[in-house]
Amino acid sequence: MVFWSSTFPILLGLLSFLLLLHPITSIRLGLVRRGTSTPDLPQFREAPAFRNGQECGSMEADRINVAMTLDANYLRGTMAAVLSMLQHSTCPENLAFHFLSAHDAPELFSSIKSTFPYLNMKIYHFESNRVRGKISKSIRQALDQPLNYARIYLADSLPEDVQRVIYLDSDLVVVDDIAKLWGVDMEEKVVAAPEYCHANFTVYFTEMFWKDPVMSKTFKGRNPCYFNTGVMVMDVGKWRKEGYTKKVEEWMTVQKQQKRIYHLGSLPPFLLVLAGNIKAVDHRWNQHGLGGDNFEGKCRSLHPGPISLLHWSGKGKPWLRLDSRKPCTVDHLWAPYDLYRSSRHFFEE
């Protein structure tokens, strides 16, 4: 710190002199970056090592599988989510992370590894072409990306020995021990997630769907409720065995080739197959909607009640709002988990 204080004016003077001799039209501020990653990727501080307590087991049966997607645009959110889980876990070394990526990007993978050197993780390639022809345009471009549909193909992407997994979006932080969610009794259901039966379920599908004499009977015999697919415990063994990927794809084909029956990306086909037939878990495990709606992303307040997971679903993302210096109040709950290394961090070290 003393070195920078005494030498920075001299360096600034030298830079000004060089600019007079050799004028240039722009300066790449990437000069303050460390490492060899691409300029488009943010830089992150290394997270501390988190170790198991004495009460933790170390057997295969003690492993907690967590699946997430890995994308450059959401990398900052992914880093914060991983840190939050490790920080609040009683047995952090039991967490096994499974990342799905649509691109072969070594710098993306090395970024995760350098930030979390001790992380138990594997990275799998998600073949975008498998879903690209089945995607129909939704109300927000981010929902149309192939990686947003990767959760449908988890059972096919993960090794056969992975029978259960927690799927999590990248725009959330966990403020409780994730083992509590892992331990939910699935009661033979293929998915466990918070249900919201007070929500108006009809709005997730078009008038064309509800007026169709056959499609409108899809939920007959079920009590369908909305659930958010950004936080799910999934029995991927059962998913494979009973062919749920194909069931979801069939509705995507209807949407793409026959008639427009929904507007919201990968969520509605999940609801068509599973709504009213999942294991409901406590709402504390998905305080969702903190990113506002899908159009403007306006600020929202927390719902009353205990909280184990904060989820910025919607258009507004906490790292973008914080960087714009126009954060919502709830964004300050995400900030402590942000490992982003800004130029300010660099000069203060």
Side-chain angles (χ1 to χ4, degrees):
M1 186 70 179
V2 175
F3 173 80
W4 274 107
S5 299
S6 59
T7 60
F8 188 72
I10 299 174
L11 292 173
L12 188 60
L14 286 172
L15 180 60
S16 300
F17 178 70
L18 289 172
L19 288 174
L20 288 172
L21 293 177
H22 303 284
I24 58 177
T25 57
S26 64
I27 301 174
R28 288 185 65 86
L29 296 180
L31 289 172
V32 299
R33 292 182 178 274
R34 290 179 177 175
T36 58
S37 58
T38 61
D40 293 329
L41 280 185
Q43 299 294 293
F44 300 95
R45 302 186 301 281
E46 181 179 320
F50 295 90
R51 301 301 185 189
N52 280 359
Q54 292 183 347
E55 69 275 23
C56 298
S58 58
M59 305 295 290
E60 188 72 15
D62 301 312
R63 184 178 64 183
I64 297 174
N65 295 303
V66 178
M68 305 180 72
T69 57
L70 197 57
D71 178 82
N73 294 322
Y74 285 82
L75 185 59
R76 192 166 163 188
T78 302
M79 296 293 195
V82 171
L83 176 63
S84 71
M85 279 180 269
L86 294 173
Q87 186 169 316
H88 293 285
S89 177
T90 303
C91 305
E93 292 180 279
N94 289 359
L95 301 185
F97 288 87
H98 305 267
F99 295 109
L100 274 65
S101 175
H103 304 286
D104 182 15
E107 68 277 5
L108 197 63
F109 310 151
S110 62
S111 183
I112 285 276
K113 196 62 182 175
S114 61
T115 305
F116 299 101
Y118 309 100
L119 194 67
N120 179 10
M121 71 168 187
K122 291 182 179 179
I123 298 174
Y124 309 86
H125 177 68
F126 174 66
E127 183 53 62
S128 297
N129 288 335
R130 182 169 184 181
V131 70
R132 198 181 300 276
K134 301 179 179 71
I135 297 175
S136 55
K137 189 175 181 180
S138 66
I139 62 174
R140 186 159 60 92
Q141 187 177 3
L143 302 177
D144 300 339
Q145 302 307 308
L147 204 56
N148 189 48
Y149 290 78
R151 68 199 80 190
I152 298 170
Y153 300 93
L154 274 181
D156 305 321
S157 303
L158 302 180
E160 289 286 335
D161 64 327
V162 176
Q163 294 292 305
R164 176 189 276 204
V165 69
I166 298 174
Y167 173 81
L168 296 175
D169 277 348
S170 296
D171 52 358
L172 55 78
V173 291
V174 179
V175 293
D176 201 347
D177 193 337
I178 196 70
K180 297 176 183 177
L181 180 60
W182 177 257
V184 63
D185 183 358
M186 301 284 287
E187 296 181 0
E188 301 300 318
K189 304 295 186 182
V190 72
V191 165
E195 276 188 322
Y196 302 90
C197 295
H198 64 278
N200 182 2
F201 189 78
T202 61
V203 301
Y204 294 99
F205 304 97
T206 64
E207 187 177 352
M208 190 176 295
F209 172 84
W210 293 114
K211 285 186 175 181
D212 187 289
V214 177
M215 292 186 183
S216 60
K217 296 178 182 177
T218 299
F219 301 104
K220 186 177 181 180
R222 290 192 266 166
N223 180 27
C225 297
Y226 161 74
F227 67 95
N228 182 280
T229 56
V231 179
M232 298 184 289
V233 185
M234 302 178 69
D235 184 337
V236 287
K238 187 179 180 69
W239 185 284
R240 294 186 192 105
K241 184 178 179 180
E242 300 185 10
Y244 276 89
T245 296
K246 184 178 180 180
K247 294 177 182 179
V248 175
E249 283 184 328
E250 287 174 351
W251 281 111
M252 293 167 63
T253 301
V254 171
Q255 164 83 349
K256 184 72 173 179
Q257 300 181 4
Q258 297 182 26
K259 60 177 67 177
R260 190 165 180 81
I261 57 176
Y262 55 79
H263 300 297
L264 267 176
S266 64
L267 170 64
F270 258 94
L271 297 178
L272 286 162
V273 175
L274 291 164
N277 194 29
I278 70 169
K279 166 64 178 179
V281 301
D282 197 296
H283 287 182
R284 69 187 301 152
W285 284 105
N286 196 351
Q287 177 86 209
H288 67 289
L290 301 183
D293 60 24
N294 282 300
F295 297 99
E296 299 181 52
K298 292 183 178 180
C299 296
R300 287 183 178 175
S301 302
L302 294 173
H303 304 298
I307 299 170
S308 294
L309 186 150
L310 297 157
H311 187 187
W312 279 261
S313 57
K315 186 177 181 180
K317 302 306 171 189
W319 56 93
L320 296 178
R321 296 195 296 211
L322 286 164
D323 285 354
S324 70
R325 300 188 182 278
K326 295 179 181 179
C328 299
T329 302
V330 294
D331 297 340
H332 295 291
L333 299 174
W334 181 89
Y337 303 98
D338 186 14
L339 289 169
Y340 174 57
R341 185 194 295 276
S342 66
S343 57
R344 178 178 59 84
H345 290 130
F346 178 80
F347 285 114
E348 285 180 351
E349 287 182 348

